[in-house]
Each structure stands twice: as C-alpha cells, then as structure tokens.
Amino acid sequence: MTVTKIKNMEEFAAVSGLSRPTISKFFNDPQSVRPSTRTRIEEALERFDYRPNIYAVNQNRQLTKTIGIVVPYLADPFFAEIARNIETRCIEEGYSPSLFSSHGRQEQENDILETLRSMKPAGVLIAPLGRISDKAFIERFCKDVPTVLFDSKLEDVGQVFIGSDNMQFTSMMVEYLNRSGDAPCFFEMKTPTNPNARKRRQAYIEAMKRLGHQPKIVQVDGVGWDFEEIGHRGGLEALNNDRFETSTVLCSNDRLAIGFLAACYQKGVRVGLKENCHLRVAGHDNHPFSKFTCPSLTTVSQDYAAISEKSVRMLFDLIASETSDSAHKDTLFEGKLVMRDSA
Amino acid sequence: MTVTKIKNMEEFAAVSGLSRPTISKFFNDPQSVRPSTRTRIEEALERFDYRPNIYAVNQNRQLTKTIGIVVPYLADPFFAEIARNIETRCIEEGYSPSLFSSHGRQEQENDILETLRSMKPAGVLIAPLGRISDKAFIERFCKDVPTVLFDSKLEDVGQVFIGSDNMQFTSMMVEYLNRSGDAPCFFEMKTPTNPNARKRRQAYIEAMKRLGHQPKIVQVDGVGWDFEEIGHRGGLEALNNDRFETSTVLCSNDRLAIGFLAACYQKGVRVGLKENCHLRVAGHDNHPFSKFTCPSLTTVSQDYAAISEKSVRMLFDLIASETSDSAHKDTLFEGKLVMRDSA
DNA sequence: GGCAAATATTTACGCGCGTAAAAAAACTAT
DNA sequence: ATAGTTTTTTTACGCGCGTAAATATTTGCC
C-alpha cells in the first residue's frame, strides 16, 4: 500500500490510468468494462484501497443498493437467526443489508419505516409486529417500496408474504399427540401479538373436532414479547388451579413452552414420555433453545433457511420485475415434527 | 397533508416562506433559529412532511449523525439486549444507530468495520469477537474513528473500554458456593473466544487458592458460538467420565450452563439445593433465559443497563472531546449475585 | 490491412445540500 | 426613534459521483 491517500474517484482514476466515467461504470457493474480494464482497476484497488463515497453514490441513484430488514423483536433468537440468514444472502447478491428491530413497539416500527423510506432502499424485508402493527402505515409503505412481508401476515398488505403453514404445523402436532397419548390442551396467550398464534388456535380447534375431541384452550394473561415470563407465570397459575383437563399440553410457541416447562419443574410436575411422567408438553417453531430445555422439547420446526432464502429471492424478483402487478403471492412452508423427550 | 410533493429543501423553503439556508440551519440544530422561525418551519413540516435527503446531507458533512454498533453474535440474547439499550440511548441523543453482527467470524467483523469507515460515523461501539479478532485491524480503526469497546477487552486497543469486573464476578461466586457447600469445579471451553472467559478462569484459580482449595477445571472441546450445544455435549461427556471431583459446578457463562443443565437432566442428575440433589450448578451473566432453566440458574448478573448507558455516554464524551488523548480509560462494573434454585 | 462493433475518453451538467460572505431585515434596548 | 445586535436573505461555490453525448481509441474478424 502506498502513502498516497485517494480521496475521490477523480484521483483514483488518475492513479489507475483510466478516466473517471470508466471507474464509475466499473463500480456499478464490474462486468460492464473490458476484462483488461477490470484487471487494471483491480490492481489499482490492491495498491490504493479506495471506496466510492456511499453518500455521493446514493444521492445520484434513484435506487440504492440497500436492503432493509425489519424484525419485531431481535432479542428473540428466532428472529436473530432469520435476520442472519437474510443478511448473508443479501451480501452474496451484492447488496448492503441494514437491520432494524421494532422492539415490540408500533411507534418504533413506524419510525423505522420512515427512516427506511428516506434511505431509498432497493427493497425491504419486514416481519411486522402483527396485531399492533399500523396496518395502513405499512400498506402505504409497501406501495412505495418493493417489500416482502415474512413470518407474520397482515391481511391485504403487500404483494408478497413468506411464512409458515400454521394450519399444517398445528394439525400435524395435534394428530401426533392424539395418536401417541391423550388429546392435547392448547396453551396460549389471551391476546397474542402474532397472527400466527391465531391461526394455530384455529387449527387446534379444527383438528380436535376432526378427531372427535372437545377443544380445551387454556389462555393466560400477559402482553408484550416476554413470552417465557408469561408462559412461566401463566403456567404456574394454570397448574395451581388444575386448568389442564388432559395430561398433554400443546403450547402456541416454544418460548411459551420454555416458560411453562420451568413452571412444571418448579411445581414438581414431571414432563415427558416415560412411565413416571405426569404431563406431555409440545411447542411450535423449533426455537434455537428448545433442544436444551428439560426435558428437551418436542416441537414443529420452522424451516428458517427456506423462509430466509425464499424471502430474499422473492424480494429480488419483485425488484427485478418493477411491474407493480398487484397479484398477492403467498408462500407457506410446511413444518417438520421434531420429536424429543417432552412429548 | 397537501398533495404537493416536496422533493428538495428549495421547495420546502418556498412553501414555508423562508430561505433555504435557514431551513438548513434548522435541520442541523433547531435551536439555532429564532423561536418564531422554528414554529413556522414546524408548522410547514406538519403540512408537507419533508425530510432532507440523508445522502446529500451526509456527503457534505465531514461527520455524520450515524453511530455504528457492532456485536459478535446477535443470536445471543445477551447482545441483542445490550444492542437494544444502546440503540435507544443513541436515538434519544438524536443519532441514527446502525446495527451489525459479526456472526462469530473475523472476516465479517473486518468487513463491517470497512463498511462503517465508509459511513463516516460520528462514533462506533463495538463488542469485539475476542481472541479471533484481527487486533491490528481494529486498532487501526480506533485511530480513525471515535470508538468505544465493550464487553470484550482487547489489550492496548482503543481508548475506552466498558465491561464487567470478571474478577469480582467469579470471586464472589466462588466464595458464595464455597461457604454454602463444597468448593466448585470450573466448567468451561478449552479455547474460549472471549477474553472474559480467561479472566474468569484466572479468578477462579485465585479464589480457590485463597480459600485453601485445589482448583479443579473441567474443559470441553468445541469452537464457535453454539455454547449451549458445547455445554450439553461436553457436559454429557464429563458426567459420563466422572470428571467433576466435587458436587458443585461453576460454569464460565450461562449459555454453557444451560447446555450443561440439559445434560444433567438427561442423565438423571438432580441439580439444586434440596436434600435429594446431587449437584449444584452456577453460571455467569444472568442471561435472559437463565431464569427459566430447570432448575432456575444461580448466577452473577451483568448490569446490562449500566454497561449500555456508560458505553454510550463515554462515546459521546469521546466525540465531544475531539482531543485524541491517548489515556486508556477502562470502566468495569461489578456484578450482583442472583440466587436461584440451582446453587 | 481494413472495417464495423465495442469500449474508453472528453466534456459537461445535475443531484440535494452544507456553508461562507455580504447585504438586508428583524428584533432589543435605551 | 435610533443605534446596536441578532437573525435571515441573497448569492455563490463546492462536495463526490451518475450520466449523457460526442469523440477517440481499441478490439475482433474476414
């Protein structure tokens, strides 16, 4: 590396012996210049490490190379994991991902979208807060910016949604639990933030009826995203008051199940399949930590990789197509039964 | 809101009946214009929702209002939590935080710093990967950009470090465990990524000697950030081979402990303080999930809020001071014993 | 070697805003 | 009302780069 500091494209063009427009073309698309030219530029890059000023670049672009990623709650390893996958894929495609978390608050979600709008991103991937999202606000955003919604569907918002087939998730699990023991109760929050939760409840009810059982739903209080806490407190309360009519509990999601398992442990309720166990417990999502609960949690796995991959691909399709064909495209992935020790 | 679309500051100046330089001053610092003027602009803002083009703004600023936040592994709720705190504080101060995760890879950490450098941020908060960080690279970065290191200290790098007093953490816990039962073994990874782990080991050894005990360290294989997995696998192996010489195990961190507790459960080893228990287990960090392990985990709590708060304040001091006084300032926070059921 | 096609250069303008300097206007206080 | 101070306006330049058009050069091909 040389001592010379290159401070703009003009100077870099000089040291590489080319003209500025050629350098500009190169940075927009290396393939657009002749191989020999490309080599010369790359050699110069080795010697002088220059990078175009991103602000100057983006100012003159109607469309930047930024991809916005918005998740509702980053402290949930599920979203952290999805975000990681998406980030990686975006980088591979030559885009710069920018990650945001709404931290469970509508106001923040809207602020993020405002910020994003001013960033003129090529596209945005958003997992909305759900029930408490400002639907109209997000809808307007989707009209202006190519946006893919994932995880949490908002009816009639956006052109593309990628998520899980919650009906299939829950049906499969209810059937499994039913044929391997008694029919499950359903353990959930009274007012879940996430629309997936509502689908799961519905699927539970339908599956139970189909199997000739009376649905038995145990709802607990609590708002926000501290699902473990809610599952724990609500679980204790439900156990204390004998609210579970069968010896099998299907939790609306794994985080709730983690809290519930803690409650069981505390109450001395043995969970699992073994002879001396009182209760079977299952969840949904295959949360990264569900393998390490006590006992390890039987659950339905979301296909993280597939959801991330498909979301990104659909976004790039959307960007490429340009046409605002208002055909709503939904993609739902099926889950796989992950059988562990808890049920 | 009116139908008129404002597309630049010129137009916005027109509709608000002021000149562009005044509008420019306002956006740089609302306090710098006369109150009556400020009111007029704010009224116009209500009617026309205009935001300055961030790229044009930043191009002409030597220093942007961006704050970079870099964490080693975002899927760890500990870092997610810290990041959330820091983000919030930055926004309160009128800055735009930009969050990045190194995902446990040196290459990615360096890439992020490269990207950040080109973003001309006002300052950067980074929790380095630790052992596998490219020290020289980070050191160079710190020279160019006001940077606060937190969580994981790299010797002689950067001017400011904020973290926990690992010596105090471990000493306190070892003393507690010793006086409430037998002396603990220390359970850790053979080659930990994080320097905190090394400090904790050292503190363990010293504390044990001070108390007249022989240190008993149980090390397990494994690399990367899947601590639960490593703790689980290593824990099973250690239990199978009777590697714990006492009935108390102090884990280097809570995530390792979570995996270890799962191993104990699986092996039928009862953990806790009660009469019929075989083992006591403790951890470090007060990980968000440690309250929900089975049994709930006794640990030393990091002061998340204090670390975040102090890191941000120190960064703003650094930005304000401008002077590159090379005085290294370290701030270490003490931990508090969190007594739960596991020890 | 000559010709068409592909690529690079020259020249020039514009993006949206920061910012400096001088002039004008609006306040403040007496 | 007047002088003095603060604020705003006018004017103008520059930031680093995208990009268009006309021109010049290189390349591939027979």
Side-chain angles (χ1 to χ4, degrees):
Chain A
M1 221 174 91
T2 327
V3 280
T4 326
K5 293 272 176 189
I6 276 74
K7 61 168 205 286
N8 59 30
M9 196 176 276
E10 196 76 53
E11 288 188 17
F12 181 71
V15 298
S16 57
L18 292 161
S19 69
R20 190 172 68 74
T22 304
I23 305 290
S24 178
K25 276 196 76 178
F26 169 84
F27 278 108
N28 281 322
D29 177 13
Q31 300 301 320
S32 69
V33 300
R34 199 183 299 152
S36 62
T37 310
R38 200 181 315 147
T39 311
R40 284 172 67 188
I41 298 177
E42 278 157 358
E43 278 170 11
L45 274 178
E46 306 257 315
R47 294 189 293 131
F48 292 98
D49 95 319
Y50 156 78
R51 296 184 64 170
N53 180 311
I54 51 171
Y55 300 111
V57 169
N58 286 335
Q59 177 177 20
N60 294 326
R61 256 209 252 278
Q62 63 293 20
L63 209 76
T64 69
K65 280 284 189 177
T66 303
I67 299 281
I69 305 170
V70 188
V71 297
Y73 194 74
L74 205 44
D76 185 335
F78 168 76
F79 288 113
E81 190 59 27
I82 291 262
R84 186 175 68 80
N85 276 296
I86 292 178
E87 263 190 358
T88 307
R89 291 282 298 113
C90 288
I91 293 172
E92 283 168 12
E93 300 280 339
Y95 286 81
S96 305
S98 201
L99 180 59
F100 299 88
S101 167
S102 308
H103 302 312
R105 292 177 34 231
Q106 186 199 74
E107 191 192 333
Q108 181 109 27
E109 186 168 88
N110 286 3
D111 284 353
I112 289 169
L113 293 186
E114 280 290 357
T115 302
L116 269 175
R117 197 195 290 276
S118 73
M119 289 174 72
K120 296 189 273 180
V124 170
L125 294 136
I126 175 171
L129 288 168
R131 183 171 52 78
I132 64 167
S133 280
D134 186 340
K135 265 186 66 172
F137 195 92
I138 297 180
E139 194 169 0
R140 242 177 297 138
F141 183 84
C142 292
K143 291 234 170 64
D144 301 343
V145 182
T147 303
V148 166
L149 276 76
F150 68 98
D151 182 64
S152 200
K153 175 158 171 98
L154 302 179
E155 286 309 323
D156 308 320
V157 173
Q159 294 180 44
V160 179
F161 172 75
I162 315 290
S164 291
D165 184 347
N166 290 293
M167 287 300 194
Q168 182 263 342
F169 272 40
T170 306
S171 296
M172 181 172 60
M173 182 57 94
V174 170
E175 276 161 26
Y176 161 72
L177 291 172
N178 188 63
R179 74 170 173 268
S180 59
D182 60 354
C185 304
F186 192 71
F187 184 71
E188 64 163 2
M189 287 166 67
K190 197 169 287 169
T191 50
T193 36
N194 197 297
N196 293 335
R198 292 196 292 277
K199 294 241 178 62
R200 288 169 187 180
R201 175 196 304 163
Q202 190 191 335
Y204 165 76
I205 294 172
E206 287 174 16
M208 287 291 276
K209 286 186 178 160
R210 199 165 57 238
L211 294 167
H213 294 293
Q214 180 75 16
K216 300 177 185 75
I217 298 182
V218 177
Q219 293 187 323
V220 297
D221 286 322
V223 289
W225 288 77
D226 289 333
F227 298 165
E228 294 84 7
E229 179 66 41
I230 292 167
H232 180 240
R233 213 184 35 233
L236 278 179
E237 184 265 331
L239 288 170
N240 284 334
N241 299 323
D242 258 331
R243 292 179 60 194
F244 298 109
E245 296 178 37
T246 73
S247 68
T248 303
V249 176
L250 173 55
C251 299
S252 180
N253 65 65
D254 282 357
R255 293 184 59 199
L256 223 45
I258 289 171
F260 180 62
L261 285 175
C264 291
Y265 187 91
Q266 223 169 303
K267 294 288 294 175
V269 176
R270 276 194 297 277
V271 173
L273 294 167
K274 299 210 196 90
E275 287 304 308
N276 59 348
C277 291
H278 309 134
L279 207 60
R280 296 188 304 159
V281 174
H284 290 86
D285 291 343
N286 196 22
H287 189 282
F289 284 18
S290 63
K291 190 176 165 190
F292 306 104
T293 54
C294 300
S296 59
L297 186 63
T298 288
T299 186
V300 187
S301 77
Q302 295 224 37
D303 194 338
Y304 292 59
I307 291 176
S308 321
E309 170 67 28
K310 180 76 177 178
S311 300
V312 174
R313 204 166 46 230
M314 290 298 275
L315 179 60
F316 288 137
D317 285 356
L318 205 68
I319 293 171
S321 76
E322 284 284 354
T323 74
S324 54
D325 49 1
S326 56
H328 289 240
K329 286 177 210 151
D330 287 13
T331 307
L332 299 183
F333 286 98
E334 300 208 334
K336 279 193 292 232
L337 208 54
V338 178
M339 281 186 276
R340 300 208 182 94
D341 297 338
S342 73
Chain B
M1 222 174 88
T2 327
V3 280
T4 326
K5 292 275 176 189
I6 277 72
K7 60 168 205 284
N8 58 31
M9 196 176 276
E10 195 77 54
E11 288 188 18
F12 181 71
V15 299
S16 56
L18 292 161
S19 70
R20 191 172 67 75
T22 303
I23 306 290
S24 177
K25 275 196 76 178
F26 169 84
F27 277 108
N28 282 322
D29 176 13
Q31 300 301 321
S32 68
V33 301
R34 197 185 299 156
S36 61
T37 310
R38 201 181 313 147
T39 311
R40 286 171 68 188
I41 298 178
E42 278 158 358
E43 278 169 11
L45 273 178
E46 305 257 316
R47 294 188 294 131
F48 292 98
D49 95 320
Y50 157 78
R51 296 184 65 168
N53 180 311
I54 51 170
Y55 300 110
V57 170
N58 286 335
Q59 177 177 18
N60 293 328
R61 258 209 251 278
Q62 62 292 22
L63 208 77
T64 69
K65 281 282 189 178
T66 303
I67 299 280
I69 305 169
V70 188
V71 297
Y73 195 75
L74 204 44
D76 184 334
F78 168 76
F79 288 113
E81 190 58 28
I82 290 261
R84 186 175 68 80
N85 277 296
I86 292 178
E87 263 190 0
T88 308
R89 292 280 300 112
C90 288
I91 292 172
E92 282 167 13
E93 300 280 340
Y95 286 81
S96 305
S98 200
L99 180 59
F100 298 88
S101 166
S102 309
H103 301 313
R105 291 175 37 227
Q106 187 199 72
E107 191 193 334
Q108 182 109 27
E109 187 169 88
N110 286 3
D111 284 353
I112 290 168
L113 293 186
E114 280 290 356
T115 302
L116 270 175
R117 195 195 292 273
S118 72
M119 288 173 71
K120 297 188 274 179
V124 170
L125 293 136
I126 174 171
L129 288 168
R131 182 171 53 79
I132 64 167
S133 280
D134 187 339
K135 265 187 66 172
F137 194 91
I138 296 180
E139 195 169 1
R140 242 178 295 138
F141 183 85
C142 293
K143 290 234 170 66
D144 301 343
V145 182
T147 303
V148 166
L149 275 76
F150 68 98
D151 182 66
S152 201
K153 175 156 170 100
L154 302 179
E155 286 310 323
D156 308 320
V157 173
Q159 294 180 43
V160 179
F161 172 75
I162 314 291
S164 291
D165 185 348
N166 290 292
M167 286 300 196
Q168 182 263 343
F169 272 40
T170 307
S171 295
M172 179 172 60
M173 183 56 96
V174 171
E175 275 161 26
Y176 162 72
L177 292 173
N178 188 63
R179 75 171 174 267
S180 60
D182 61 353
C185 304
F186 192 73
F187 184 70
E188 65 163 2
M189 287 166 67
K190 197 169 288 168
T191 50
T193 37
N194 197 296
N196 293 336
R198 292 196 292 277
K199 294 242 178 60
R200 288 169 186 180
R201 176 197 304 163
Q202 191 192 335
Y204 164 77
I205 294 172
E206 287 174 16
M208 287 291 277
K209 286 185 179 160
R210 197 166 58 239
L211 294 168
H213 294 293
Q214 180 75 17
K216 299 177 186 77
I217 298 181
V218 177
Q219 293 187 323
V220 299
D221 286 322
V223 290
W225 288 77
D226 289 331
F227 297 166
E228 293 85 6
E229 179 65 41
I230 292 167
H232 180 240
R233 213 182 37 233
L236 279 179
E237 184 265 331
L239 288 171
N240 284 334
N241 299 324
D242 259 330
R243 292 178 60 194
F244 299 109
E245 295 178 39
T246 73
S247 69
T248 303
V249 176
L250 173 55
C251 300
S252 180
N253 65 64
D254 282 357
R255 293 184 60 199
L256 223 45
I258 289 171
F260 181 61
L261 285 176
C264 291
Y265 188 91
Q266 223 170 301
K267 293 288 295 177
V269 176
R270 277 195 295 276
V271 173
L273 295 167
K274 300 211 196 88
E275 286 305 308
N276 59 352
C277 290
H278 310 133
L279 206 60
R280 296 187 305 158
V281 175
H284 290 86
D285 291 341
N286 195 22
H287 189 281
F289 285 17
S290 63
K291 190 175 163 190
F292 305 103
T293 54
C294 299
S296 59
L297 187 63
T298 288
T299 186
V300 186
S301 77
Q302 296 223 37
D303 194 339
Y304 292 60
I307 291 176
S308 320
E309 170 67 28
K310 180 76 178 177
S311 300
V312 173
R313 205 168 44 234
M314 291 297 277
L315 179 60
F316 287 137
D317 284 357
L318 204 67
I319 293 171
S321 75
E322 283 285 353
T323 74
S324 54
D325 48 1
S326 57
H328 288 239
K329 287 177 211 152
D330 287 14
T331 307
L332 299 183
F333 286 97
E334 299 208 335
K336 280 193 293 235
L337 209 54
V338 178
M339 279 186 278
R340 300 207 184 94
D341 296 338
S342 71

